[in-house]
Amino acid sequence: MCGIVGAAAKRDIVPILIEGLRRLEYRGYDSAGVAVSDQGLKRVRSQGRVAALSEQIEKEHLSGRTGIAHTRWATHGAPSEANAHPHISGGLAVVHNGIIENYEAIRTRLKTAGYKFTSETDTEVIAHLIAHYRKESKDLLGAAVRAVSELEGAFGIAVVSGDAPDTVVLAKKGAPILLGLGEGENFAASDVSALLQVTRRVIYLDDGDCAEITPAGYRIVDADGHPVERKIHVSEQSAQAAELGLYQHFMQKEIFEQPVAIANTLETVLGASSLQAGLFGTEAGDLLKNATSVHIVACGTSYNAALIAGYWLEAIAGIPARAEIASEYRYRQSVPDPKGLFITLSQSGETADTLAALEHAKALGYQATLSICNVPESSLVRASKLRFLTRAGPEIGVASTKAFTTQLAALFLLALVTARARGRLDSATERAYLKALRHLPAAMQGILSVEEEVRVWAKRFSTKEHALFLGRGIHWPIAMEGALKLKEITYIHAEAYAAGELKHGPLALVDENMPVIVVAPSDTLIEKVKSNMQEVRARGGELFVFADVGSRIERSEGVHIIKLAEHAGPLSPILHVVPLQLLAYHTALARGTDVDKPRNLAKSVTVE
């Protein structure tokens, strides 16, 4: 959530800060602000999008060579200029991602000490606390180290001060912060995409680190203030990958990027004659062979992927598997399996609930941990023993699409590798699965050809306020994902059920005003699905069915069908989700909602 950019240079960095915010706006877009410090501290804030902030900056002719900027997703305090970052105290300004859990106690203490608060945010306590310790030391970095040692929660912080005109100070715990290295100038951000305009050389801070950048260089200290070195990485991300190009929205672009994203994710196996456990890490062979169970935790769309993975792991690898919502896992009394494999799924690798779940699992005794993620140097990847990168490229649209399907591709690969390690995958079956994986990008490209048919359906959906999604077996989580996509970007209330559960309650909702979307592949459950469809028609419900060519479902009054390709066997969920993504996208267009930045939501949830 939220986005941070900072810079210390010998040129005007305000345009760099604003461009960085534009690239991070998908992470938060209810308010934004900039502070520069090289000619005395100056601040401009605005409620709303980065474009509104940019207009205000032009009016005020703001410029500077050292500064910080922030785009916000509200957690404490409603979206307003008063609650927008940066927050100021004692001649310094602070921006912050995350949540300070003990802010109320610190706020009370600081009020008693005479500090006045002008916002409802938890961030303002950081500004006052650093200003408080700054009275005892002219060293801005030293004051920040003392202040953040008192903070509980997750945070990425950037600080500038009018009396340290060439310095930006950073701090990290739980929320990402990285440094960007240039020639005679240095930068900082919460995501590398914000800095690709100026540098590809980056340093990822570890939890507990504080850092200082100036035009001349940088220094990093640990939580105790001792100097430390962190590795320099050269980002492989492309600046163009985060641009719209010829597409109307990022979501549309990312839906159509899925064949390439799948191919990139599977690149290491598409030309192979057999599968190697080393795809998941050097220790994967023994860990997968000896694992007694698999426990997968994730949030949102990634949780739906985890549910599907459970079907694959049990059916193909013969290993007990369960999926769980990360935000629930660590708040219940669970029975851990120390010999089991603990998997975390995340697009960003910075999802706070998933990171906390991983640490909780380790504390319970899990030794074998695997992260499946789209960001190589993310916190989740670095905290896991095994890892697999999905290589989807930047995903800017808040509603996840290509991150979901590449996660599924990786999870299917995991099921095969686990089956092979456990002696449950013979050579002929392995070759057949590899052939199916090689065909997957082309099959997905074919699925995209139904866009025009989906667009027609979307016009009818645009007037609805409720929808019901049905699926069975491994396609029930796909129905869940379809419902999630529709509600996220169209604001239509949508629910998903295992179709066999209709008569146990949801059937009461069905009438002529409740469209029912059915995922109907021609698998072993197709006749059951047809019976469930008849239950809907008998109550006057209107059916919209995504069916394989071989499903033998025909159009009739109240039954609309879009035919997809031949049934893809166990890979069918990866294909069947694509038209559901298109349905949500085109319905949102027809309703006039903000596709890439839906209300109340933001990308990369770094708070609980």
Side-chain angles (χ1 to χ4, degrees):
M1 303 293 199
C2 306
I4 289 174
V5 191
K10 297 177 180 179
R11 57 172 166 155
D12 181 16
I13 48 82
V14 172
I16 295 171
L17 298 180
I18 293 298
E19 178 58 26
L21 290 186
R22 286 196 182 101
R23 293 169 184 247
L24 296 181
E25 193 171 22
Y26 65 99
R27 293 174 178 262
Y29 37 87
D30 56 43
S31 60
V34 170
V36 294
S37 60
D38 56 304
Q39 297 178 25
L41 191 65
K42 298 176 183 178
R43 175 182 64 174
V44 176
R45 298 184 294 177
S46 175
Q47 183 178 347
R49 303 290 173 87
V50 172
L53 175 67
S54 183
E55 290 177 6
Q56 190 64 26
I57 283 173
E58 287 185 15
K59 289 179 183 177
E60 299 191 24
H61 305 290
L62 184 72
S63 64
R65 293 174 294 179
T66 304
I68 54 176
H70 188 268
T71 181
R72 181 174 184 251
W73 183 83
T75 53
H76 292 73
S80 67
E81 184 174 333
N83 288 329
H85 301 206
H87 292 284
I88 287 177
S89 178
L92 61 81
V94 170
V95 296
H96 161 232
N97 290 354
I99 286 181
I100 306 304
E101 294 175 353
N102 61 334
Y103 85 99
E104 290 182 337
I106 297 174
R107 184 183 179 113
T108 299
R109 192 180 95 210
L110 290 170
K111 277 187 172 181
T112 302
Y115 289 90
K116 294 183 179 179
F117 286 79
T118 60
S119 78
E120 304 168 87
T121 70
D122 55 340
T123 303
E124 196 175 1
V125 303
I126 304 172
H128 289 316
L129 196 58
I130 296 175
H132 179 71
Y133 287 121
R134 192 79 195 286
K135 293 176 181 178
E136 302 173 17
S137 169
K138 291 186 177 181
D139 180 24
L140 184 59
L141 178 60
V145 170
R146 289 188 66 183
V148 300
S149 69
E150 298 183 19
L151 303 179
E152 297 174 7
F155 51 81
I157 297 167
V159 190
V160 291
S161 177
D163 60 4
D166 64 350
T167 302
V168 180
V169 164
L170 299 311
K172 177 198 183 304
K173 179 186 174 185
I177 287 288
L178 56 93
L179 311 184
L181 308 183
E183 297 295 329
E185 56 188 18
N186 291 293
F187 308 91
S190 52
D191 190 282
V192 70
S193 61
L195 301 183
L196 293 176
Q197 54 173 320
V198 288
T199 186
R200 293 182 178 278
R201 298 174 64 234
V202 298
I203 295 174
Y204 295 90
L205 298 184
D206 285 356
D207 269 0
D209 284 353
C210 290
E212 173 188 272
I213 60 171
T214 68
Y218 67 91
R219 60 175 172 143
I220 304 171
V221 300
D222 63 18
D224 297 319
H226 300 139
V228 291
E229 296 291 330
R230 302 295 180 215
K231 184 179 177 181
I232 297 175
H233 301 266
V234 178
S235 175
E236 296 180 1
Q237 277 195 34
S238 163
Q240 287 71 34
E243 300 294 338
L244 264 177
L246 299 176
Y247 292 94
Q248 190 173 354
H249 296 93
F250 280 107
M251 183 178 181
Q252 182 189 32
K253 176 177 182 277
E254 288 154 10
I255 289 172
F256 278 84
E257 285 176 339
Q258 288 177 112
V260 172
I262 292 284
N264 289 341
T265 297
L266 297 175
E267 182 180 16
T268 53
V269 300
L270 292 185
S273 57
S274 63
L275 294 162
Q276 303 300 320
L279 292 167
F280 292 89
T282 55
E283 301 177 67
D286 289 339
L287 291 176
L288 295 179
K289 179 181 179 180
N290 297 322
T292 52
S293 66
V294 178
H295 191 173
I296 315 173
V297 298
C299 300
T301 284
S302 294
Y303 171 66
N304 292 337
L307 289 170
I308 294 167
Y311 285 91
W312 284 333
L313 285 161
E314 295 201 342
I316 298 172
I319 187 169
R322 59 177 166 148
E324 186 165 0
I325 296 170
S327 58
E328 292 293 319
Y329 166 59
R330 68 191 181 106
Y331 294 111
R332 69 176 182 86
Q333 293 292 323
S334 60
V335 180
D337 179 5
K339 295 183 180 179
L341 174 65
F342 191 86
I343 302 176
T344 49
L345 301 182
S346 171
Q347 188 282 135
S348 67
E350 304 295 346
T351 307
D353 287 316
T354 308
L355 281 165
L358 174 58
E359 294 308 313
H360 180 64
K362 289 179 178 179
L364 291 178
Y366 279 97
Q367 299 296 314
T369 57
L370 165 65
S371 166
I372 294 177
C373 182
N374 192 38
V375 181
E377 288 299 323
S378 62
S379 300
L380 199 65
V381 168
R382 286 181 282 136
S384 301
K385 184 169 289 187
L386 306 178
R387 70 283 311 270
F388 187 93
L389 299 176
T390 53
R391 299 181 66 191
E395 188 179 66
I396 307 301
V398 168
S400 179
T401 52
K402 63 178 180 174
F404 177 71
T405 50
T406 52
Q407 281 178 352
L408 288 180
L411 289 162
F412 187 79
L413 195 60
L414 175 67
L416 298 184
V417 169
T418 304
R420 192 174 191 271
R422 292 165 60 84
R424 293 181 56 92
L425 191 65
D426 61 68
S427 297
T429 305
E430 182 181 20
R431 287 194 298 271
Y433 279 137
L434 283 170
K435 182 179 179 181
L437 284 173
R438 291 187 192 102
H439 181 62
L440 187 58
M444 183 169 281
Q445 192 67 54
I447 295 291
L448 289 166
S449 66
V450 304
E451 183 180 26
E452 287 307 313
E453 293 179 82
V454 171
R455 196 194 308 267
V456 173
W457 282 11
K459 292 179 180 177
R460 303 182 65 167
F461 273 73
S462 65
T463 62
K464 306 296 184 180
E465 294 302 327
H466 305 277
L468 188 63
F469 286 71
L470 301 177
R472 294 202 73 147
I474 199 169
H475 292 87
W476 169 37
I478 291 300
M480 294 171 64
E481 178 63 13
L484 178 60
K485 286 288 142 313
L486 193 71
K487 70 180 75 170
E488 278 182 309
I489 64 171
T490 71
Y491 318 143
I492 293 172
H493 169 239
E495 293 190 65
Y497 282 91
E501 287 293 294
L502 263 179
K503 53 185 145 322
H504 297 291
L507 203 54
L509 297 171
V510 172
D511 60 18
E512 65 277 6
N513 296 315
M514 171 74 83
V516 179
I517 302 92
V518 184
V519 182
S522 54
D523 58 14
T524 56
L525 291 171
I526 186 60
E527 295 305 321
K528 300 292 185 183
V529 171
K530 290 178 182 178
S531 296
N532 301 138
M533 289 167 55
Q534 289 302 319
E535 293 172 351
V536 171
R537 285 300 298 135
R539 275 77 178 178
E542 191 171 13
L543 291 161
F544 296 82
V545 186
F546 292 102
D548 292 341
V549 169
S551 61
R552 299 187 304 280
I553 301 174
E554 301 301 326
R555 294 179 178 86
S556 61
E557 184 179 356
V559 181
H560 312 281
I561 299 174
I562 291 179
K563 291 288 181 71
L564 307 179
E566 295 291 338
H567 183 51
L571 291 173
S572 174
I574 302 177
L575 300 180
H576 266 273
V577 75
V578 175
L580 299 180
Q581 295 170 346
L582 289 169
L583 179 63
Y585 173 70
H586 284 290
T587 303
L589 284 188
R591 286 170 70 91
T593 59
D594 192 332
V595 173
D596 288 333
K597 300 181 180 71
R599 69 188 184 198
N600 304 334
L601 300 178
K603 199 77 168 176
S604 184
V605 185
T606 57
V607 297
E608 286 193 63

